[in-house]
Amino acid sequence: MLSQWSWIAGRESRLPLVGVALLMLIALVAAACGGDDPAPPAETAEQPAADVSASAEVAAVEEEEEVVLTIAVPAMPLGVDKDYSFGNFQTFESIGNCYEAGFNFAKIDYPYDTPPEGQGLQYPDHAGEREPWQLLSAELAADGQSVVLNIRPGVISAAGNELTADDVVWSLERAFALEGVGFFYVTLLNLDPEEPATVIDDYTVRVNALNPNGLLGRIWDDLYFPFMDSTDAIAHATEEDPWATEYSTTNCAGFGAYTIETWTPGQEVVWIPNPNYWGPEPQIDRVIYRVIPDAAVRLAALQRGEIDIAQNLSPDQQVQAGESDGVRAIGVRSDFILFLYTNPEIFEPFGDVRVRQAINYVMPRREIAESVYLGQATPWRAAAATIFPGTNEEFWPYGDEPDFETARVLMAEAGYADGFDIPLSYTSAFPLWEQVANLVARNLAEVNINVALDPLPDGDFAAQSFERTTIPFGLWLDAPGGSDPVYNLFIYYYDRNVIGNFSLIEDPEVTAILDEAIKAQTLEDRIAAVQPAHQRVLENAVFTFLVEPHYTIAIRDNIEGFVWYAWQNFYFRELRKN
């Protein structure tokens, strides 16, 4: 299986950003388908052995007994290097628990009407104020071209080093040097490569951009833009590896609540709390990622109580989990988006907006959500992930059910009343994709578009989709990760060069709207600025919008505190095991 996260630099003469698509490991398709300082531990008075009663012995054993959380995963994390490691649930969770971000999302009651999964769940407040976490504040300059970060004193890594302005500078310089995931962010912000940040004092640093960019004040809640413990990393650097990438792949050089105790390739990762963590003391003493490749075996182990959490179950297995004693099957609205892309440079008819609109009109969105995802998906009726602020379903032009008559008129106006033949490519890794492709093909046949199903090996499909030279019609799952309204449109629609624009459809008006919107500093202004772009994207039918698969996970019912975050991750520090 192949997981990709790619980006492409923007143009110096226009919006100096990069586009990024969070391209999930295909296994996710089936599955989806600041605080008070911790109190010190209580001291226990020593007693002579002869004075210890039987009840005291039991109490001592109970006090010393570890709280262990076992998570069954299909594969190992791909690493914990914030600049190089990305691709599956376990990797995202590892990055979050190792590093954490400058700010945290406040939590609200689950805001969607999806019983019984939503009852009692907390959810990140994407439209609310961020909670200070490793940062106390981010003060954006009046011109929008720099931001002063105020670091919380006393944020200490598991290696015993305090987070300071020097760590911020080193982390940004590393992002530029490695040109990995972090390079996307420093380019997105258009930071000054010569001096991306200036130290003011130990706990104050100014981050410098080359142009006004409202994201400078908002990006610090992003999972993949944290600060590294530069002291720890430098101590493990070598002449051949000056940025300590080898060390940071399987060792945690961050300031998060957990750190890695052991890493056994192909088998398990064991996490323990950061003993110096500044925030509320985690209740879980040890978290074990246990690799169990077979989803049916993961489900059975969960049902028997041998594990606490099972990840990456298929929709039908998720239903089975929910019907099992002692198990909660959790499903939440996520930022997953499932769509078809059409490449007009390979197949000329897709260059006609009427053809693309016709395809959108006949899609069986509700049927895909209900019969393929078994209710664990929502019909997608917008230009961006609908859980995020600023997404507007009022612009949706394609109705709630397939409209074959309107589609036939559009096809005739475009000169394709007799239709055409076209292959539809998708990954062969999971039956879920083929079920969706069959429903799409059935409905397109009603307007004389004859689809030949073209399942490809996982890696081949991903690679060819990125190359954009061989696949004219493809089925794709994505997730933007970030909640900013400008960012969420930019990564798919800014122009033909951004990696998320698989359809290669460029609208100068959308580009101009985003050029201006990126400068807006408040969330309200950013939301208002992007509204015309939402409407243009839908009218242009840049994608064939299908469904928004939910994030799903199955846990034992004695686990509390689970909160999903938009990188398809959760934090160990928030969990409680009774």
Side-chain angles (χ1 to χ4, degrees):
M1 300 179 204
L2 178 68
S3 174
Q4 299 283 343
W5 182 343
S6 300
W7 52 88
I8 186 167
R11 307 168 186 171
E12 294 181 0
S13 60
R14 292 198 293 160
L15 182 62
L17 296 179
V18 269
V20 63
L22 170 59
L23 309 170
M24 311 305 298
L25 188 69
I26 298 302
L28 307 191
V29 178
C33 324
D36 296 328
D37 290 336
E43 295 183 2
T44 303
E46 294 184 2
Q47 296 180 348
D51 296 333
V52 178
S53 65
S55 60
E57 288 179 349
V58 172
V61 170
E62 289 179 347
E63 182 178 352
E64 294 174 1
E65 184 176 355
E66 282 190 325
V67 180
V68 179
L69 184 82
T70 303
I71 306 173
V73 297
M76 291 284 287
L78 302 180
V80 289
D81 188 315
K82 67 136 184 126
D83 285 303
Y84 275 164
S85 304
F86 44 88
N88 58 17
F89 282 164
Q90 299 76 52
T91 306
F92 304 141
E93 289 160 8
S94 296
I95 295 295
N97 286 290
C98 171
Y99 296 100
E100 298 187 353
F103 293 92
N104 197 27
F105 287 93
K107 292 185 285 291
I108 58 175
D109 291 336
Y110 185 67
Y112 303 103
D113 184 19
T114 56
E117 298 87 22
Q119 295 176 357
L121 280 176
Q122 292 287 291
Y123 198 72
D125 184 5
H126 295 116
E129 293 296 322
R130 305 297 190 255
E131 295 179 341
W133 208 248
Q134 293 182 357
L135 295 177
L136 295 175
S137 65
E139 301 169 5
L140 190 62
D143 63 3
Q145 200 165 317
S146 66
V147 62
V148 172
L149 305 181
N150 295 293
I151 300 167
R152 179 187 296 275
V155 174
I156 301 175
S157 71
N161 304 309
E162 186 177 23
L163 173 62
T164 69
D166 289 335
D167 295 300
V168 175
V169 174
W170 192 86
S171 297
L172 296 177
E173 290 175 345
R174 186 181 198 261
F176 272 111
L178 294 180
E179 296 189 356
V181 180
F183 186 70
F184 157 65
Y185 290 98
V186 296
T187 313
L188 174 72
L189 298 172
N190 198 27
L191 298 190
D192 183 349
E194 299 299 322
E195 189 179 357
T198 304
V199 173
I200 298 174
D201 58 41
D202 283 351
Y203 303 112
T204 315
V205 59
R206 185 179 69 247
V207 179
N208 310 307
L210 297 175
N211 296 97
N213 191 321
L215 275 173
L216 282 169
R218 296 181 52 81
I219 198 68
W220 310 102
D221 58 25
D222 197 289
L223 183 79
Y224 265 92
F225 204 44
F227 312 123
M228 292 186 71
D229 177 354
S230 62
T231 303
D232 185 33
I234 291 171
H236 293 88
T238 65
E239 184 175 350
E240 296 77 21
D241 184 19
W243 299 101
T245 59
E246 183 176 352
Y247 171 75
S248 300
T249 297
T250 56
N251 294 276
C252 179
F255 297 92
Y258 279 78
T259 190
I260 292 172
E261 181 181 51
T262 60
W263 182 290
T264 307
Q267 297 181 34
E268 70 175 23
V269 179
V270 178
W271 295 82
I272 57 174
N274 171 359
N276 308 308
Y277 187 58
W278 72 270
E281 184 176 8
Q283 189 252 1
I284 307 295
D285 297 311
R286 183 169 268 102
V287 177
I288 301 173
Y289 276 146
R290 181 170 297 160
V291 176
I292 302 178
D294 190 316
V297 177
R298 294 196 296 275
L299 173 60
L302 181 71
Q303 291 169 322
R304 292 192 297 267
E306 296 170 359
I307 61 172
D308 300 294
I309 297 177
Q311 293 190 343
N312 296 65
L313 301 180
S314 63
D316 61 320
Q317 291 168 335
Q318 188 73 7
V319 172
Q320 293 177 48
E323 296 171 348
S324 303
D325 292 338
V327 176
R328 295 173 65 205
I330 296 174
V332 299
R333 289 279 295 272
S334 76
D335 57 331
F336 282 132
I337 49 177
L338 182 70
F339 56 88
L340 300 167
Y341 65 84
T342 54
N343 189 326
E345 295 196 355
I346 299 174
F347 191 66
E348 183 177 353
F350 290 152
D352 193 311
V353 66
R354 293 166 295 187
V355 172
R356 302 195 304 268
Q357 289 172 342
I359 294 172
N360 265 287
Y361 270 112
V362 302
M363 286 299 102
R365 296 175 182 87
R366 179 186 54 79
E367 190 174 0
I368 291 170
E370 294 179 0
S371 69
V372 177
Y373 283 92
L374 305 181
Q376 299 164 36
T378 301
W380 189 19
R381 297 168 42 87
T386 56
I387 66 165
F388 292 141
T391 305
N392 196 335
E393 295 186 70
E394 294 180 4
F395 296 133
W396 180 247
Y398 301 113
D400 294 325
E401 297 293 337
D403 183 349
F404 297 110
E405 187 56 37
T406 298
R408 292 187 187 103
V409 170
L410 288 166
M411 290 288 287
E413 290 177 351
Y416 297 103
D418 295 332
F420 47 75
D421 299 335
I422 187 72
L424 173 57
S425 303
Y426 53 93
T427 177
S428 61
F430 291 94
L432 197 70
W433 289 97
E434 187 146 316
Q435 294 177 50
V436 174
N438 271 301
L439 292 177
V440 168
R442 182 202 65 192
N443 277 27
L444 288 177
E446 295 291 328
V447 292
N448 298 320
I449 298 177
N450 303 309
V451 171
L453 300 187
D454 180 35
L456 296 173
D458 223 14
D460 291 346
F461 172 65
Q464 291 183 48
S465 292
F466 285 119
E467 290 168 0
R468 306 181 188 182
T469 58
T470 57
I471 297 179
F473 198 28
L475 177 62
W476 194 260
L477 178 74
D478 214 321
S483 62
D484 181 76
V486 182
Y487 167 92
N488 277 319
L489 288 182
F490 172 84
I491 62 175
Y492 300 109
Y493 311 121
Y494 178 71
D495 63 20
R496 58 180 289 115
N497 294 314
V498 294
I499 194 62
N501 190 345
F502 292 96
S503 294
L504 297 176
I505 295 168
E506 184 171 81
D507 183 347
E509 184 172 329
V510 170
T511 301
I513 292 168
L514 297 180
D515 279 338
E516 289 302 312
I518 194 66
K519 301 174 186 177
Q521 296 190 10
T522 69
L523 177 60
E524 293 74 17
D525 288 344
R526 297 172 78 78
I527 289 173
V530 297
Q531 293 309 298
H534 278 271
Q535 186 168 9
R536 291 283 298 182
V537 166
L538 291 172
E539 291 173 350
N540 287 339
V542 176
F543 295 143
T544 301
F545 310 92
L546 294 177
V547 298
E548 297 179 279
H550 299 172
Y551 171 95
T552 59
I553 194 167
I555 68 178
R556 296 294 301 182
D557 60 10
N558 65 328
I559 306 300
E560 298 178 351
F562 175 84
V563 181
W564 167 87
Y565 293 91
W567 279 92
Q568 326 312 325
N569 72 297
F570 56 90
Y571 291 107
F572 304 154
R573 59 174 162 77
E574 294 184 333
L575 299 179
R576 298 289 182 271
K577 183 176 180 179
N578 297 323

